[in-house]
Amino acid sequence: MHYDAHNVESEHTHEFVELVYVIKGTVIHRINNEFYKLERGGMIFIDIGQTHSFFSMGTVEFVNIFVRADFFKNKKGGIRQATLPEEDRLG
């Protein structure tokens, strides 16, 4: 995502997990009334249902990754494990 100078996203919640990774610039995130300053290379985790908003400090570029809650569970109710192709595995 790309935002120009001083863009504001109003307070909201999600029914999914959100990860934000900053590529360029500075952004201030407010999560449950706590403020977090993220700069290039910074990352933040926003859990399901957390009230949050943000505003950019000038031009900012970042990646948002949205993950549904059911992604983290397998059919038996445990945590899902990522499986790499054999050629990408270490050892």
Side-chain angles (χ1 to χ4, degrees):
M1 301 189 105
H2 174 92
Y3 286 97
D4 289 324
H6 306 293
N7 189 31
V8 175
E9 180 72 30
S10 61
E11 208 170 56
H12 60 283
T13 62
H14 299 293
E15 294 302 316
F16 50 81
V17 169
E18 180 178 1
L19 298 169
V20 180
Y21 177 77
V22 178
I23 297 169
K24 174 183 175 184
T26 302
V27 63
I28 305 295
H29 273 265
R30 180 181 181 192
I31 303 172
N32 294 339
N33 293 318
E34 296 284 334
F35 290 88
Y36 303 90
K37 181 179 180 181
L38 294 176
E39 298 177 311
R40 182 177 178 246
M43 186 173 189
I44 199 159
F45 176 95
I46 303 167
D47 206 354
I48 295 168
Q50 285 188 305
T51 302
H52 62 283
S53 61
F54 74 87
F55 61 94
S56 61
M57 308 287 292
T59 300
V60 65
E61 291 181 22
F62 57 91
V63 175
N64 268 6
I65 300 170
F66 304 118
V67 184
R68 292 181 0 194
D70 62 356
F71 174 82
F72 295 106
K73 292 189 176 186
N74 65 29
K75 293 178 182 175
K76 296 178 184 174
I79 298 297
R80 178 183 287 175
Q81 295 179 0
T83 305
L84 293 174
E86 239 180 270
E87 62 270 14
D88 294 334
R89 295 179 192 173
L90 299 175

